[in-house]
Amino acid sequence: MPITSHAFSLLSVPKCSDEDKKERANMALTFDRYKDRLRMLPKEKGWITGNLYMYQGFWHQTMRIISVETLMALQDTFKAHPTDIYLVTLPKSGTTWLKALVFAIVNRKRYTNGSLSTHPLLISNPHNCLPFIETEIYANTPTYVDTHSPRLFATHIPYTSLPQSIIESGCRLIYLCRNPKDVLVSMFHFANKLRDKSGSLVTFEEAFESFSKGAMPVGPYWDHVKGYHKVSTEHPGKVLFLTYEGMKVDTLNHVKRLAKFLDYPFTEEEEVEGAMQEIIRLCSFENLSEVNKHGNLREGIPNAAFFRKGEVGDWTNHLTNEMSQRLDRITKEKFHGLDISFNQGS
Ligand code: PAP
């Protein structure tokens, strides 16, 4: 079975600081290359960084790996392969969980029957196992020069801003979305942990106001979801559209669907042996949050920041009735006529 990401090189050969320095230099060059274009863009107050910039209808951070400069660089240079598979999410919609599940499904034969004693997901963050194209672009030896098939990548980029080669090459995409209220709450807590000195958003009320008018990193939330929902209805064989809530309530069926979509279906024998249940356990919030209690990603984000509660409906502990109703109204209006539901079991 092919190795489908550069996870193994990352895990087995820790990057030396010289390489880290080179990557940081690549980023600095990119930020510099696009700084003039940034000046022309509308700005809003940021959640983590000082400002968000409006580019092609969506709000983006700046001077970060997930940023407007990175997006521009990807649009200019990224080359997709027709066999690539992209996991697409808005931040805080279940990216880490989806990465773990897909990585575990595709690589399951490598780690069974004692073929390798330690599964990467038992020692490393799923973000190290399946990279964002947003991080790949700065790598000195990016995965996208490899010839593995399928190459697995994640991205937060809105559909209409995807690098043209992803759309033209006919790659398959898996889109995972989550109830907007839980995304807001999760993003608020994440931003609180990561906020830099220029990011001044503090209260939940402020976060709520920004979210409601669409100003969150890679938002507006509703436009992001609608973009992928539209292509999933037009090309269901190319875009698999899932919800976090649905995955929570029926993880087994979702793992089965994911495996089929990825062209790594479970055999009858595997089903009998409980291979799917094993993957679900491996990728469970309980397991991954334990593995990732300590340490940081290479870009400095604490591993633990990606694991908070992992529940559906924590918004009830944060939103007032009035806030909840306001978001319901916006969601109803924006998703009018669309078959998008976050009821558990959908
Ligand atoms: P990212 O886009 O920055 O990578 P992402 O993984 O999408 O973040 O979102 C993190 C959320 O997924 C957290 O939700 P919470 O704040 O409401 O708790 C996190 O707890 C949750 N999460 C992480 N891993 C899992 C998992 N294995 N199962 C279920 N939820 C998870």
Side-chain angles (χ1 to χ4, degrees):
M1 177 169 298
I3 299 174
T4 54
S5 82
H6 75 160
F8 306 101
S9 53
L10 268 181
L11 293 168
S12 53
V13 188
K15 294 260 179 174
C16 65
S17 60
D18 275 357
E19 280 200 61
D20 282 348
K21 273 188 213 151
K22 270 196 246 160
E23 290 190 14
R24 258 178 253 135
N26 291 343
M27 286 171 71
L29 276 175
T30 303
F31 295 156
D32 195 53
R33 189 173 309 133
Y34 293 104
K35 69 176 187 302
D36 290 340
R37 284 176 70 184
L38 235 68
R39 288 200 194 104
M40 331 278 280
L41 302 177
K43 277 193 277 187
E44 259 289 342
K45 197 169 155 189
W47 293 55
I48 296 172
T49 53
N51 290 312
L52 290 170
Y53 288 85
M54 168 62 78
Y55 175 64
Q56 298 182 336
F58 288 83
W59 293 104
H60 297 274
Q61 302 189 121
T62 179
M63 305 284 280
R64 290 271 163 151
I65 285 179
I66 307 284
S67 67
V68 64
E69 297 95 330
T70 305
L71 171 54
M72 290 172 175
L74 283 164
Q75 289 178 335
D76 284 349
T77 58
F78 188 76
K79 294 276 174 290
H81 291 176
T83 52
D84 288 350
I85 295 174
Y86 295 85
L87 316 185
V88 192
T89 52
L90 260 175
K92 317 329 292 177
S93 300
T95 324
T96 316
W97 189 20
L98 183 64
K99 281 187 176 192
L101 287 170
V102 167
F103 180 82
I105 290 168
V106 170
N107 293 292
R108 65 186 184 273
K109 294 246 161 53
R110 297 178 56 84
Y111 301 106
T112 48
N113 305 326
S115 55
L116 268 179
S117 56
T118 310
H119 196 291
L121 290 169
L122 291 174
I123 53 170
S124 188
N125 192 315
H127 288 289
N128 291 330
C129 298
L130 198 160
F132 282 111
I133 53 174
E134 288 90 331
T135 57
E136 280 300 280
I137 192 153
Y138 297 118
N140 298 308
T141 46
T143 312
Y144 57 80
V145 299
D146 289 354
T147 50
H148 305 134
S149 171
R151 302 183 313 174
L152 299 174
F153 292 116
T155 184
H156 288 318
I157 299 174
Y159 184 75
T160 44
S161 291
L162 280 176
Q164 203 52 31
S165 75
I166 295 185
I167 295 175
E168 284 169 359
S169 62
C171 307
R172 278 172 297 162
L173 313 175
I174 299 172
Y175 187 75
L176 178 65
C177 63
R178 187 181 189 188
N179 184 327
K181 297 175 194 172
D182 280 335
V183 171
L184 160 63
V185 169
S186 186
M187 189 68 210
F188 171 71
H189 286 287
F190 189 70
N192 265 334
K193 286 175 199 146
L194 301 192
R195 181 163 300 119
D196 67 20
K197 288 191 191 85
S198 57
S200 57
L201 194 95
V202 195
T203 66
F204 185 73
E205 286 69 23
E206 282 177 295
F208 173 82
E209 289 303 329
S210 295
F211 186 92
S212 301
K213 62 180 180 193
M216 71 167 277
V218 211
Y221 166 92
W222 299 274
D223 298 9
H224 200 286
V225 175
K226 275 165 71 171
Y228 284 96
H229 186 263
K230 183 168 182 284
V231 278
S232 79
T233 52
E234 290 165 357
H235 307 285
K238 289 283 175 204
V239 182
L240 180 65
F241 187 92
L242 303 174
T243 67
Y244 180 91
E245 291 71 18
M247 282 209 337
K248 270 280 192 187
V249 82
D250 191 359
T251 316
L252 194 75
N253 251 319
H254 278 72
V255 166
K256 207 171 176 175
R257 279 178 76 191
L258 279 170
K260 209 167 159 212
F261 186 81
L262 291 161
D263 283 337
Y264 284 78
F266 289 93
T267 61
E268 265 179 42
E269 197 187 345
E270 283 181 305
E271 289 201 18
V272 172
E273 284 170 356
M276 292 189 286
Q277 287 84 348
E278 206 176 296
I279 284 172
I280 291 169
R281 260 195 309 277
L282 176 69
C283 302
S284 66
F285 178 85
E286 291 69 26
N287 185 52
L288 295 183
S289 55
E290 187 60 33
V291 171
N292 289 280
K293 257 185 181 164
H294 307 291
N296 293 331
L297 288 182
R298 287 210 353 265
E299 49 265 40
I301 304 176
N303 288 322
F306 295 95
F307 306 91
R308 193 180 62 89
K309 285 193 169 177
E311 290 170 4
V312 171
D314 188 40
W315 64 265
T316 53
N317 299 314
H318 294 76
L319 273 74
T320 62
N321 276 343
E322 200 186 346
M323 286 172 162
S324 168
Q325 284 165 13
R326 204 165 125 200
L327 280 190
D328 283 345
R329 272 198 303 278
I330 299 173
T331 304
K332 199 170 163 199
E333 186 188 309
K334 299 271 188 187
F335 290 171
H336 178 72
L338 303 178
D339 180 24
I340 304 174
S341 154
F342 302 101
N343 296 328
Q344 290 200 44
S346 64

